[in-house]
Structure formats: C-alpha cells, structure tokens
Amino acid sequence: MARGLFKYQRRAITEDVTSYEVKTHQLNTAVELSERGRALLFTQLGNYRTCLDDLEAASSSLASQFRTLSIALEASMLSDEISMEGIVITEDVVGGYLKEAASGGPVILVSISRYGSDAIIIHKTADPVSIPLPDATPASIKTLVHVLTEVTADRPEEVQSNQILGSLLRDIWRIIVKPIVVHLENTLRLRRGSRIWWILTSLASLLPIHAAGPYSPGELSLPDLYVSSYAPTLSSLTRSRAGYQSPKRKSGPRILVVAEAEAEGERPLVEVPHEVALIRGLQAQVTVVEGEECIRDVVLTGIKEAAWVHFACHGHQHTTEPFKSHFSLHTRDTSLTLLDIMKNNLPHAELAVLSTCHSTAGNDITSGEVIHLTSGMLFAGFRGIVGTMRAMEDEDGPGVAKDTHAWMFRKGPKPVDCRDAAVALSKAVRNLRRKQLPFDRWINFVHYGI
C-alpha cells in the first residue's frame, strides 16, 4: 500500500512540477522534467543501449569499455526480480534533442496536473508551445478512464456500448484534443494526413486519444485529420529514429510469423490460419513458427534473425506484475514474457505487428512507467509497433493484416519501409469504419514508434 502510494505521489509531483514550469514559460525545462519523472526503468535501460558510433570513431578502446560496462549494468537490472526503486535519470532532453524527436512531425506531450493541465507541442522548426487544457483535470481524466474500463470489462449490448464509447470519444475531443487540433491547423498549418505523435502522462495514457472526435454529421474527427502514433517518451522516439535508413535490400523484408491458434488453456483462434495465409502471400521471406515449434526459445531465435515479426496469438497484460505480461505460445510453460523480450537487443529489427489482445494495455498503477508488451518490443529494438489497447475480435486480425500489408507493399517488395506502418494501419482502420463497425472494433488498433 505504501509503495503504491509512493508511486502515485511521484507521478503527481512530476506532473505538478511540469505544470509549474509551463506556467513560468520554461517549456524546455517542463519537457525535461516530465521526461525525467516517467518511464524511469525503460529510460535508464535505454541509456545502456546508446548508439556508440561517434565514440567508436574517436576511440575504439573506450567504446569497448563503455559497451562492456553497459551490458553488465543492464544485466543487473534485467534480473528476474526487477526493482524500480532508486533509478536516476541523467539524460538531457532539451534543445536539439527535442527537434530530433520531432523530425518526423509534431510531438504532443499531454501533462495532467491538479494545478493545470497543458499540451506541449514540439515542432522541428519552432520552439515548443503550450496549449492550456483547463477541462482536463485529474478528476475528469479519472472519470473518462473509469468509463472506458467499465464498458470494456462489462461488455454491454453493442448498441449501448457504442453509445457510451461515442460519448467518451466526444469528451476526449472536447477536453483534450480539439484545442490541440486548432493549433495544428491554424498556427502550424499542418496539412491533413500528416503524422503526429502523442506522449501521454498519468491516466491519460490509458485513453484512446487517437480516435477522439465530435462524431457528428459534417464534422471531421482526429482520424480524418491526422495519422496518430504514440511513444512512451521522447527518448524512446529518438532511439527509434537513431541510425535508421530506408532499407536497400534486393527483396522484401525477412518476416517471422508467430502463429499459435490453439495455445494450452486458451480459447481457439479460428482466424489465425487465414491471417497466416495472407502473410505467406507477401513478396517477402516469410518464416512461420506454429504448433509444437511455437515455443519460447524458437521464437526468440527467429526474432533475432528477422526484420519484421508478426504475432498472431493470445496476448495478456499482467496488471500487478507487468513484466510477466506475455504472448501465449504452444504450452503455458513456454510463453514469451515481457522480460524475455527486454533481455534481447535487436539492432536490425524494424517492425512488429502484434495481432493479439492487450499488447498496449496499461493500468492505473503503472501508467507512468508505460510497461506493456509494445513498449518492451520498442525497447528491444523494433522501430515501429502495431498493437491493440484491449481485447480484439478474432475476425478482425486477417482484415487489418491484409489491408496494412497491402499498403506497405503497394510498390512491390524493394521499397518497403517500416515507417509506412502508421499510415498503413490508418487505412486499414478506415476500412473497418466504412463497414460501420462499432467503436470498440476499430479504436483498439494503435501504432507506436516511427
């Protein structure tokens, strides 16, 4: 109880101090403090995987010593018993660092505090600006999260669920998103279809910000205006961008498909074979791991060799011990946990498609740390992730996979670039919307990374 209270107070202090810096017009400092006070574990571990190209050029001996020390420090943190106490962040995130994070489009940091909530918009060609969000109080955000949790947990009748979610998305639009969109349109003159990135603090990280909108005749919602992606932190986004260049391979990417339709103790996923068949048909080097071969060691070996990975299986978020969150493989004792993933460093990894349930699910205890399967894949080295916020319908997997990959491979195999995944997903989701499916079927899909 005391530890939970401490974590809550730490989050509140971070957000309150961020609010103070915004009010005193110290936006660079506000961003830095927000970064220092959240996602502490991933940020600290990320420092141990810093790109050493510049240091290598100056002194290969010093780079080798630094690398050896980093590996030892990381190993000590990634033991089976992870402690998040006493982690200290020393990374500077001001100045050019901010512009580097926003090199692909505006990054929007949403900070929720009892002393005033704000959105800080970071742009590559301008200084950060703050947008007041007077109605986004901690109490109002908590209410929105409660409504979302209740409607997804209780699973009311479809009509009632759709009405509740529609009202929720309109509230998110009014309280958080609309003032930001006004600035993007009127001040930055950001053209429609551009990409934007969201970094959400506290309980706001549990909300489907990407799907907010008025949902009234004649009015455009956020998915109609811009292509939204998420990032746990600015530093994680910068690391995803670092050193990445458009692939120059002579054929399509090497894709590993992890397909487990009948995991032990789980309900069967009858659409998985259909989803696998669609990916086999791509102009790429596709390897499928399924059945009795679908076990932890085989999957980890395959991930190390692949540029892309596609999970078609059950996924579970462990709310009280998030590092035990896992993908269900063939047997219970061979499941792939978040900790298993984080222990790997995959510098050649590009894209992960997590066609599973709960791959980006968080909870009110660890919301400030952003600990879920998707963030673990980012940390391991994947540049971009397609995932889900909640449970997904089995029948949606093949359709979203087909439409997403169709856009990715629209010009053939050679130019395929993982940075197209966010736009590809937005087109796949648009097709779900055209079918007039209920909100909970399409707001579930999200993109993280570059």
Side-chain angles (χ1 to χ4, degrees), residues 50-156:
T50 300
C51 180
L52 300 180
D53 290 350
D54 292 340
L55 183 58
E56 189 80 47
S59 172
S60 59
S61 174
L62 186 59
S64 177
Q65 293 178 50
F66 185 92
R67 188 177 292 110
T68 300
L69 179 59
S70 294
I71 291 172
L73 288 169
E74 180 184 319
S76 70
M77 291 187 70
L78 287 179
S79 62
D80 290 336
E81 297 295 330
I82 290 184
S83 171
M84 291 186 289
E85 306 296 333
I87 296 172
V88 179
I89 306 303
T90 60
E91 186 168 6
D92 182 13
V93 297
V94 297
Y97 179 81
L98 298 185
K99 288 180 169 50
E100 182 181 354
S103 61
V107 178
I108 304 154
L109 169 65
V110 177
S111 178
I112 307 298
S113 168
R114 55 186 169 170
Y115 296 117
S117 299
D118 302 272
I120 302 175
I121 301 179
I122 302 161
H123 194 262
K124 62 181 178 180
T125 60
D127 291 331
V129 297
S130 63
I131 308 297
L133 304 174
D135 294 327
T137 64
S140 67
I141 299 301
K142 185 176 181 179
T143 298
L144 293 176
V145 171
H146 176 75
V147 171
L148 178 64
T149 303
E150 289 294 311
V151 73
T152 53
D154 294 345
R155 309 287 289 184

Side-chain angles (χ1 to χ4, degrees), residues 169-170 173 177 181 184-185 190-196 198 208-229 422-423 425-435 439 442-443:
L169 295 175
R170 284 187 283 271
W173 171 261
V177 177
V181 167
L184 296 177
E185 288 187 315
L190 193 65
R191 63 178 178 82
R192 289 182 184 174
S194 296
R195 294 189 61 187
I196 59 176
W198 296 93
I209 301 291
H210 63 282
Y215 294 103
S216 299
E219 294 190 72
L220 296 177
S221 298
L222 183 60
D224 305 313
L225 295 169
Y226 302 117
V227 177
S228 291
S229 294
V423 174
L425 178 64
S426 73
K427 293 182 178 295
V429 168
R430 191 171 301 163
N431 287 338
L432 293 179
R433 294 177 64 192
R434 285 177 181 149
K435 296 176 183 178
F439 284 116
W442 64 264
I443 68 173

Side-chain angles (χ1 to χ4, degrees), residues 149-158 161 390-393 440-441:
T149 303
E150 289 294 311
V151 73
T152 53
D154 294 345
R155 309 287 289 184
E157 294 294 328
E158 183 176 298
S161 172
R390 305 282 175 177
M392 64 173 282
E393 295 291 335
D440 65 343
R441 293 278 294 277

